[in-house]
Amino acid sequence: MVEQGAAPRRRWHWGWAVLAAVVLVAAGSVVVTRLVGRSTVESPPPPAAAPTSATPSPSPTVTVAPPTPSPTRPPGADIKGPLTLLLVGVDTRVKIPGWEPHSDAVLVLHVPKGLRRAYLFSLPRDLLVDIPAYPKAGYSGGRTKLTHAMGYGSRVAGRPGRHSTAQGYELLRTTVSRYTGLKIDAGAVITFNGFDDLVDSLGGVDLYVDQRVPSKHRRPDGQHRPPGPGGYVGPQMVYEKGNRHLNGWQALDYARQRYIPGGDYARQRHQQQLIRALAREILSQRLARDPERVQRVARALGATVLFAGGGLKLVDLAYALGGLPPTAFTLVGLPGSGVGSGSAYRGEQLSPLGRGFLPALRSGKADAYLAAHPQLRVRS
């Protein structure tokens, strides 16, 4: 059984992307957050194009219906899609000398025109990609792991030791857009621990645990395991296979674990499953369309979410996506493998099967591709 317990507030280095996804997809929980980057959305060239400077283009990809004079028209009612959201969890070990933000979780949510279904997939943090030049940070571009885009972009040119998460997001957004061929309409970066508060405010989350997951970080009572020789020591929290009801710290802890069978690909799957479970809960409660409750959650979370709207207001985006059916989410696992140079590990690459999903998604043929390759659907 999963036990309940309290835990001290602290910063984690995983996927506040889960919280970002919930905020953007359904809750609109942080209505008053500071914006990240510019108020425009880039228009990327096809994925095969050579990298250039990471300057976004001025036009968003959102289809907007003709305006209406009705004074009672709800926020976001004119947003019809398609929408693509970039959800980023950032390593925030700011006390480490020389620290710069790295994306520890990168998820992409694509909502086709009509806003009645959504596809969610993860990109490996170690995915080898072409990161374009970014003059703001003095970065000349290169081929390296995706996680480094945030770090390289965050460097403030001429100010050693200074970092800008907004800049880091901008370069990461451009890199992901070029790799996937998808225009990024909005996104969020989670930099502080607020995820457990959100889950607890919803009364917890019901989730099917698809494999036995021992925690590297937590004891069964929720306290943190102390460090010792070779790692952490003492009793471990264990999430047994089966239907579970998880509170905030348990949900975050469960989705952090990657030293399990399947490694980081299993962790990506668990993150996606958790996002879907939370989104279903929020959508079923119609939280995104309850302004008073949105404000209560916003006050509880404070400035834990940085939102890049691409010209869209968060409250409008939340309301528009709040109409998604709770069953709308299709989770997609993109398989990949390690890339080496001799005996040295260089990073990850998607398999042809995984990479093939991206053009199918762009052309509106995702369902047909998944029907032909059902192994890409993440179950549970």
Side-chain angles (χ1 to χ4, degrees):
M1 288 294 294
V2 175
E3 299 180 34
Q4 304 293 323
R9 299 180 62 84
R10 64 176 289 184
R11 297 179 184 180
W12 295 103
H13 9 118
W14 167 64
W16 301 297
V18 171
L19 176 57
V22 173
V23 168
L24 288 174
V25 173
S29 301
V30 185
V31 179
V32 243
T33 56
R34 65 187 179 91
L35 296 181
V36 174
R38 303 189 179 194
S39 60
T40 55
V41 177
E42 65 193 279
S43 297
T52 58
S53 175
T55 303
S57 103
S59 73
T61 61
V62 182
T63 303
V64 179
T68 173
S70 171
T72 60
R73 195 169 182 83
D78 295 335
I79 299 175
K80 304 299 181 183
L83 292 168
T84 301
L85 312 179
L86 176 62
L87 315 168
V88 186
V90 175
D91 183 333
T92 56
R93 291 174 287 186
V94 295
K95 294 183 180 179
I96 297 178
W99 170 88
E100 59 187 24
H102 288 80
S103 52
D104 204 45
V106 178
L107 298 98
V108 178
L109 182 84
H110 181 73
V111 186
K113 187 176 180 178
L115 308 181
R116 301 305 296 169
R117 64 189 190 280
Y119 302 92
L120 179 68
F121 63 91
S122 301
L123 294 176
R125 53 164 287 157
D126 287 352
L127 184 67
L128 286 176
V129 294
D130 294 315
I131 301 178
Y134 191 63
K136 285 184 184 179
Y139 177 64
S140 59
R143 185 168 181 79
T144 184
K145 296 177 182 178
L146 179 62
T147 186
H148 295 315
M150 176 72 76
Y152 293 157
S154 73
R155 298 171 183 174
V156 179
R159 305 185 70 179
R162 295 294 300 273
H163 297 91
S164 164
T165 301
Q167 281 190 192
Y169 170 82
E170 187 176 28
L171 181 56
L172 178 65
R173 179 188 65 184
T174 301
T175 303
V176 170
S177 187
R178 289 173 181 270
Y179 181 83
T180 62
L182 296 167
K183 295 177 181 179
I184 307 299
D185 297 296
V189 180
I190 311 300
T191 55
F192 300 100
N193 184 17
F195 172 78
D196 53 350
D197 289 340
L198 177 60
V199 174
D200 288 337
S201 74
L202 296 171
V205 62
D206 294 315
L207 185 73
Y208 180 75
V209 176
D210 62 8
Q211 68 183 80
R212 186 178 187 271
V213 177
S215 173
K216 179 181 177 182
H217 310 98
R218 297 274 195 162
R219 301 186 329 198
D221 63 0
Q223 298 300 309
H224 297 282
R225 300 177 71 213
Y232 298 95
V233 298
Q236 290 178 275
M237 178 66 184
V238 177
Y239 303 91
E240 299 288 356
K241 185 175 180 178
N243 292 310
R244 305 291 170 197
H245 182 79
L246 306 182
N247 65 18
W249 73 260
Q250 291 165 346
L252 178 63
D253 183 54
Y254 167 72
R256 292 186 67 209
Q257 306 307 317
R258 64 188 178 98
Y259 296 102
I260 55 177
D264 193 55
Y265 288 97
R267 180 173 70 162
Q268 292 175 35
R269 182 176 72 249
H270 295 160
Q271 291 172 3
Q272 292 173 353
Q273 291 167 343
L274 182 55
I275 288 173
R276 180 170 60 184
L278 285 169
R280 284 176 173 174
E281 181 66 27
I282 290 172
L283 289 168
S284 68
Q285 295 186 27
R286 297 186 62 81
L287 172 58
R289 296 188 172 181
D290 182 344
E292 291 185 6
R293 194 168 180 197
V294 166
Q295 292 295 343
R296 287 200 300 272
V297 176
R299 286 192 294 270
L301 294 177
T304 60
V305 177
L306 304 179
F307 172 63
L312 300 173
K313 293 181 180 180
L314 180 55
V315 65
D316 293 344
L317 183 60
Y319 191 95
L321 294 179
L324 278 167
T327 57
F329 293 85
T330 298
L331 308 186
V332 181
L334 303 183
S337 59
V339 179
S341 178
S343 59
Y345 172 77
R346 293 187 57 216
E348 296 289 315
Q349 62 182 356
L350 295 185
S351 69
L353 179 63
R355 189 72 187 263
F357 173 74
L358 299 175
L361 185 66
R362 294 195 301 268
S363 62
K365 299 177 180 178
D367 286 340
Y369 193 84
L370 294 174
H373 306 287
Q375 64 271 39
L376 296 183
R377 287 181 178 267
V378 176
R379 305 296 180 181
S380 302

